[in-house]
Amino acid sequence: MKRHLISAADLSRDDAVLILDTAEEMGRVADRPIKKLPTLRGRTVVNLFFEDSTRTRISFEAAAKRLSADVINFSAKGSSVSKGESLKDTALTLEAMGADAVVIRHHDSGAPHRLATSGWIGGSVVNAGDGTHEHPTQALLDAFTLRRRLGDGPGTDLAGRRVTIVGDILHSRVARSNVHLLSTLGAEVTLVAPPTLVPVRTEQWPCEVSYDLDAQLAKSDAVMMLRVQRERMNAAYFPTEREYARRYGLDGQRMARMPEHSVVMHPGPMNRGMEITAEVADSPRCTAVEQVTNGVSIRMAVLYLLLSGAEPAVTDTSENTAAAPGPATRTEENA
């Protein structure tokens, strides 16, 4: 892997599979009485969040702590940023504190790239979502969830799988990252949205575009519903919420048209009753809660691979069980 994780487009197929396989190993830690590894002991991870977040910030914090890293949570609210401090000065402060990795969420697209290439930070930079640009670890956890649900094991990709992403594509960093990553892993991706919520130049993306959700359901292995991001909208992109739900919402009747093995995904938070009904959201076919769980494993894998290099991470020390195979093996003494 490269030194930073800024965009899903930066990951090769081998990079992505390595992260997914490492996350499988990390996921086994959650099943142990003590959910802790010594791998990043002595390292400092800073969560630098300029936007509100629940799932992503807590997920990165849990991931770092399970790897025994020291975690500093930095929120723009109540900090010097609210007094006008620049990103550069904030970064230099974190560097002076010895940050080994900075996980950044920012309202401006390109802020993580600026942080990674400026020389202000000596450690690794992980993009936790920047504006309407990208959210690479969300795409990784989505791919991880798909690989588990659709029956493919470690070492495999998503070749031949058909994924339909539905909703507010225009404002979605999740959609952009998923298009890049899922196509890298061999999946066939189709975007479905009102014409007003489809970004320009999508013909340059590695995917297809459709405006008819019903035409895609029967041939989809997974349908990923996106939240309508009204907080980013400064105009009327569709007539009414009822009209949007009628044409692009997923309800029980539409879910019944999907193949039996297919799943429904949502990155959260949900607008129940708009892009997804309660019946679908609470269905066993919906992976929303599973995605949150898998997010911790994926972020553990990313932090481990960025900060530990070739050092082993996980070893099963029980007398009757051999060490788990793969890139992650390390003694858990003093964990």
Side-chain angles (χ1 to χ4, degrees), residues 307-320:
L307 298 182
S308 286
E311 289 185 33
V314 182
T315 290
D316 191 329
T317 56
S318 62
E319 295 180 359
N320 298 323

Side-chain angles (χ1 to χ4, degrees), residues 34 54 67 69 73 111 150-151 163 183 187 189 196 202-203 221 225 237 240 298 305-307 310 326:
I34 300 177
T54 299
L67 292 170
N73 289 317
L150 298 178
V163 181
S183 62
V189 182
T196 52
T202 49
E203 68 276 2
D221 295 299
M225 307 305 298
Y237 288 87
T240 64
I298 280 290
L305 290 169
L306 289 177
L307 298 182

Side-chain angles (χ1 to χ4, degrees), residues 143-171:
F144 184 72
T145 303
L146 279 173
R147 196 174 74 163
R148 279 190 157 187
R149 274 293 192 114
L150 298 178
D152 298 322
T156 62
D157 54 22
L158 296 172
R161 298 298 184 181
R162 295 181 175 180
V163 181
T164 301
I165 303 176
V166 186
D168 186 2
I169 309 296
L170 181 63
H171 301 102

Side-chain angles (χ1 to χ4, degrees), residues 70-139:
D70 296 319
V71 181
I72 299 174
N73 289 317
F74 179 101
S75 175
K77 293 180 180 179
S79 71
S80 295
V81 172
S82 62
K83 302 176 184 178
E85 184 173 73
S86 66
L87 177 62
K88 177 179 180 180
D89 289 331
T90 299
L92 293 175
T93 299
L94 299 178
E95 176 68 8
M97 292 179 180
D100 295 293
V102 176
V103 179
I104 178 172
R105 168 168 285 195
H106 204 282
H107 43 76
D108 290 338
S109 300
H113 179 267
R114 176 65 172 150
L115 195 63
T117 58
S118 62
W120 303 332
I121 292 286
S124 296
V125 176
V126 180
N127 182 2
D130 61 329
T132 59
H133 178 226
E134 281 216 43
H135 194 353
T137 59
Q138 178 68 46

Side-chain angles (χ1 to χ4, degrees), residues 49-304:
F49 278 62
F50 291 83
E51 278 189 333
D52 293 334
S53 170
T54 299
R55 292 164 184 80
T56 304
R57 182 184 61 78
I58 293 176
S59 181
F60 269 109
E61 182 177 0
K65 287 183 174 179
R66 287 186 183 180
L67 292 170
S68 300
D70 296 319
V71 181
I72 299 174
N73 289 317
F74 179 101
S75 175
K77 293 180 180 179
S79 71
S80 295
V81 172
S82 62
K83 302 176 184 178
E85 184 173 73
S86 66
L87 177 62
K88 177 179 180 180
D89 289 331
T90 299
L92 293 175
T93 299
L94 299 178
E95 176 68 8
M97 292 179 180
D100 295 293
V102 176
V103 179
I104 178 172
R105 168 168 285 195
H106 204 282
H107 43 76
D108 290 338
S109 300
H113 179 267
R114 176 65 172 150
L115 195 63
T117 58
S118 62
W120 303 332
I121 292 286
S124 296
V125 176
V126 180
N127 182 2
D130 61 329
T132 59
H133 178 226
E134 281 216 43
H135 194 353
T137 59
Q138 178 68 46
L140 283 163
L141 72 89
D142 291 340
F144 184 72
T145 303
L146 279 173
R147 196 174 74 163
R148 279 190 157 187
R149 274 293 192 114
L150 298 178
D152 298 322
T156 62
D157 54 22
L158 296 172
R161 298 298 184 181
R162 295 181 175 180
V163 181
T164 301
I165 303 176
V166 186
D168 186 2
I169 309 296
L170 181 63
H171 301 102
S172 178
R173 52 197 173 204
V174 173
R176 285 168 171 78
S177 286
N178 266 297
V179 166
H180 290 306
L181 183 69
L182 294 177
S183 62
T184 296
L185 289 170
E188 300 173 19
V189 182
T190 301
L191 303 178
V192 177
T196 52
L197 290 177
V198 176
V200 296
R201 293 190 292 275
T202 49
E203 68 276 2
Q204 299 175 11
W205 294 14
C207 64
E208 300 294 327
V209 176
S210 173
Y211 306 112
D212 186 353
L213 174 58
D214 293 311
Q216 303 300 320
L217 295 174
K219 54 185 179 182
S220 298
D221 295 299
V223 176
M224 183 183 299
M225 307 305 298
L226 300 175
R227 179 176 67 90
V228 175
Q229 299 187 42
R230 283 170 286 195
E231 73 277 9
R232 298 186 188 273
M233 296 182 179
N234 55 8
Y237 288 87
F238 45 85
T240 64
E241 292 185 6
R242 176 179 291 183
E243 176 68 11
Y244 180 91
R246 185 182 70 82
R247 295 197 61 185
Y248 297 101
L250 187 63
D251 57 18
Q253 289 185 335
R254 280 191 164 126
M255 184 172 66
R257 300 175 201 163
M258 295 166 57
E260 290 185 5
H261 71 275
S262 63
V263 296
V264 176
M265 309 184 76
H266 199 300
M270 298 181 185
N271 289 322
R272 291 187 180 224
M274 192 169 179
E275 75 266 5
I276 191 169
T277 64
E279 177 186 2
V280 176
D282 297 331
S283 165
R285 299 177 72 173
C286 183
T287 66
V289 175
E290 185 180 339
Q291 287 168 260
V292 175
T293 301
N294 291 340
V296 177
S297 299
I298 280 290
R299 285 155 183 147
M300 287 176 71
V302 167
L303 291 174
Y304 156 67

